[in-house]
Amino acid sequence: MASSVLSLPSATPSASLSSYEINKGKLNLGNTSLCFNKEKTNPFIKTKSFGRISMVLTSNVSRFEGITMAPPDPILGVSEAFKADNHELKLNLGVGAYRTEELKPYVLNVVKKYLPIEGLAAFNKVTAELLFGADNPVIKKQRVATVQGLSGTGSLRLAAALIERYFPGAKVLISSPTWGNHKNIFNDAGVPWSEYRYYDPKTVGLDFEGMIADIKAASDGSFILLHGCAHNPTGIDPTPEQWGIIADVIQEKNHIPFFDIAYQGFASGSLDADAASVRMFVARGMEVIAAQSYSKNLGLYAERIGAINVVCSSPDAAGRVKSQLKRIARPMYSNPPVHGARIVANIVGDSALFKEWNAEMEMMAGRIKNVRHKLFDSLSSKDKSGKDWSFVLKQIGMFSFTGLNKVQCDNMTNKWHVYMTKDGRISLAGLSLAKCEYLADAIIDSYHNVS
Amino acid sequence: MASSVLSLASATPSASLYSHEINKGKLNLVNTSLCFNKEKTNPFIKTKSFGRISMVIASNVSRFEGITMAPPDPILGVSEAFKADNHELKLNLGVGAYRTEELQPYVLSVVKKADKLLLERGENREYLPIEGLAAFNKVTAELLFGADNAVIKQQRVATVQGLSGTGSLRLAAALIERYFSGAKLLISSPTWGNHKNIFNDARVPWSEYRYYDPKTVGLDFEGMIADIKAAPEGSFILLHGCAHNPTGIDPTPEQWGTIADIIQEKNHIPFFDIAYQGFASGSLDADAASVRMFVARGMEVIAAQSYSKNLGLYAERIGAINVVCSSPAAAARVKSQLKRIARPMYSNPPVHGARIVANVVGDPALFKEWNAEMEMMAGRIKNVRQKLFDSLSSKDKNGKDWSFVLKQIGMFSFTGLNKAQCDNMTNKWHIYMTKDGRISLAGLSLAKCEYLADAIIDSYHNVS
């Protein structure tokens, strides 16, 4: 490489090691503080003094010197570690992806039958109807702005960008804990966020009083990120009565509810029942943001199909909001992939297929409920300490928050070859009845013998 | 709606119309100035004085009051207008989407075959890794740089599957914003309409280098070189690898060499946008020559690819961002940070298009067939160019030189028509095109060339 540089007669034999990079990195520190409403340095730039160096060998030093290696993704990295493990009893309870009893990925029957023929409008129509109910007044009155998004993440990101642009300075409140990628999304979108209490480790349940207090304490007009059903990672959902109180407080404080619905159908097995929280808020006349994903409930993980919905108080507002969501999407990816949209539109739009889907949904959620029961039974019978494991039954959806801490989770992996996320979350979708006893042994050992 | 609010016993009967919105809008003005390196107000917020108003009827006023209607997209809006037109002679030369001689969309036969293979295999739809399908990333880099290219063998290319060209450009833009903050990007004047949006939203400051010369309807090479030279050291220079959009004007190989010289002198980073590989000359390899020239010189290069046009996979959103680095270690680090940008944007990319490309490029028989279809598609466009040129030359009695139609390359032709003339094209002749004078030859048939020639001659000579 050095020789090829020297042989270019027209090249000037000098180079500066991106000193501008460092200087401008420092300029950006000021920027970052304002953008994120926090005093912090730009975590991305490693500031080193390079200075200006004259070198003949320009091409040996990369412009990308200041770019460090990113840490492995905490959730997806688990699957990579699992793949590398050769132990025969290994179990992957990391990623929330539905598996059969044989622990194979499951391609829904309805999906295999279909060839794509529909367009995007058809998807947007059915996705809103699925969430709000086809006969919902907000749909009939055209008060919902719906835009197809890149699954849940992409849909959340569109809304985050809308918030950053039109509600600058407004904060998003997210549950503690929440899905790992929520913070990344709002950080990269430049939206400040803070947490509301949610998980109570003492009860392995909901800290409802803390949640309400924190939502009340937030400045008027904040955005409250709520999991519509099957909270990720805890599996702990508010009761209908609790949802009512949450809605009360949000209305009092003029907050905007922002639902993330990634598991419609996967919580109770019923698509309608799982939309109850969202529909309650909408029925009260509130303006609501709702992001949907079809990754889990239609198994379309890799197709990246979802939607962002904004329920507005008028069709005019909905029209304007939709236009601005499009304006955000265009410089991000121009237009969304059609393949998954066609599949969803076909299934939801065809009564026979839709019925079949409902049945498959019940089956998948049913398998998870059975696994919960088996795990609970195994834990209760094997654990002689009398610890109350009933939270496993009370929690809902793909995930269970075990209450295990990081060290205990490490024990799960290192000793038992059980892969899970370090926050104590296990994905029951990756568990078979056959493996429940093994898992119970592992959990009991980790809980009691490791601290 | 009012009644539903009143009936909620627990609701507090008051509301504030987003005063914070306005106040924080003003806070953000400072933010925006710093971010964009320009003195400007936040263009998105309509600042009105609302103040705090107590209302019983909370739900009548939307939080989204300050959100105005966005203007229609200048390119996609053309198609909408075309659809609404009922005239029998109407012609859509707006969007750059390849059409057959019968002006129908064209699904490549290799794509049909690859799709069938996918269905037969019943591939599951599990998440791809953040960086995309490995098989796709491998073949896409090989297609662009050449399978035997040293940079690939030495693992010096960071390749991440992106959401077609736009998504790939956006990942790179975000990388620039994060790691080269303050560095400027230079884009050609004119360039594809969405480039500015991408870099604006990614908060990368940009400026333009001269490119199109209306006097010659050709390349303003001296202006281009001067502007690239004048840019601060270490700027990013956005180049169209082949088939420049919207002009159709590409530098010659000699000119590319000079461009590379200047970029090296100024320590700039070349950033290629390759959306038409195969569509320019008909040869996938030949169309990659500019990129390969820069890489052969040992330069670090960014290159965004799209398979929207050349494989007709428009709606699948399949492309890639490649960063050629001086070492494998740098490439690995860059790849990791591109992933970190992608994760909060869409988590991982869609699989369908990636599998099709991997199948087509990875299978020698299908790849050969693709090469042939590529030649056929590019060939049709060349024929149409020739017919259009012949029609213009024979019909135009004023002796204007229309040879630029033949010199330009790829899907598009910059006609040199101004906005009023373009309006005439549409209003009088029902020919749809973009207001910058660009026509998409991919949407033109031999049969319609004479009609188009009449329209262009009329608009050029009779309208100003």
Side-chain angles (χ1 to χ4, degrees), chain A residues 318-386:
Chain A
R320 287 180 281 112
V321 167
K322 183 166 177 167
S323 77
Q324 296 297 348
L325 287 168
K326 287 164 66 175
R327 206 176 177 194
I328 288 163
R330 172 73 160 147
M332 226 182 254
Y333 47 82
S334 280
N335 33 71
V338 73
H339 199 244
R342 286 203 176 121
I343 293 172
V344 175
N346 286 348
I347 292 169
V348 182
D350 175 289
S351 25
L353 286 177
F354 184 64
K355 203 170 161 194
E356 201 177 331
W357 181 32
N358 272 275
E360 282 194 288
M361 208 56 250
E362 275 207 58
M363 181 274 290
M364 293 196 287
R367 188 181 91 66
I368 290 172
K369 283 181 198 169
N370 289 343
V371 152
R372 278 190 186 277
H373 271 278
K374 182 89 196 261
L375 179 61
F376 169 75
D377 292 341
S378 305
L379 285 162
S380 302
S381 67
K382 285 166 179 282
D383 185 16
K384 305 307 172 199
S385 78

Side-chain angles (χ1 to χ4, degrees), chain B residues 7 21 44 139 152-153 183 226 266 275 321-322 329 342 356 365 378 402 408 422:
Chain B
S7 67
E21 184 183 326
F44 299 114
V139 301
I152 289 184
K153 296 188 166 170
K266 295 287 302 196
I321 184 66
N322 303 273
I356 293 174
W402 297 101
Q408 290 165 1
C422 290

Side-chain angles (χ1 to χ4, degrees), chain A residues 96-273:
Chain A
Y98 182 85
R99 299 275 184 271
T100 61
E101 170 68 19
E102 294 70 49
L103 296 180
K104 295 280 182 247
Y106 178 62
V107 180
L108 281 77
N109 286 328
V110 288
V111 170
K112 248 196 262 183
K113 287 179 195 165
Y114 266 76
L115 295 175
I117 53 172
E118 297 285 354
L120 295 168
F123 166 79
N124 290 342
K125 177 179 186 293
V126 302
T127 198
E129 290 176 351
L130 185 71
L131 180 59
F132 301 111
D135 51 353
N136 196 310
V138 298
I139 289 185
K140 294 185 169 173
K141 295 180 189 167
Q142 300 185 303
R143 287 170 42 208
V144 189
T146 300
V147 169
Q148 182 188 336
L150 293 156
S151 200
T153 304
S155 305
L156 289 162
R157 181 61 178 263
L158 291 182
L162 190 81
I163 293 170
E164 190 274 342
R165 189 167 284 183
Y166 289 99
F167 301 88
K171 201 183 267 196
V172 174
L173 269 73
I174 62 180
S175 64
S176 171
T178 192
W179 177 47
N181 205 25
H182 278 146
K183 295 176 186 177
N184 298 332
I185 293 168
F186 294 111
N187 281 343
D188 275 29
V191 176
W193 53 267
S194 67
E195 290 174 292
Y196 58 84
R197 280 165 283 174
Y198 195 81
Y199 172 64
D200 185 348
K202 290 193 277 357
T203 59
V204 196
L206 178 59
D207 177 3
F208 188 59
E209 282 183 23
M211 177 182 187
I212 293 300
D214 290 344
I215 293 177
K216 263 190 179 160
S219 333
D220 266 40
S222 296
F223 290 80
I224 314 297
L225 190 65
L226 304 159
H227 298 227
C229 65
H231 185 271
N232 178 2
T234 66
I236 298 160
D237 282 353
T239 63
E241 296 68 36
Q242 289 174 327
W243 274 122
I245 297 168
I246 293 165
D248 291 342
V249 176
I250 285 177
Q251 278 181 300
E252 268 177 47
K253 296 286 301 187
N254 233 16
H255 293 325
I256 298 183
F258 183 169
F259 283 94
D260 184 357
I261 305 112
Y263 300 98
Q264 188 181 358
F266 243 117
S268 66
S270 156
L271 289 155
D272 275 327

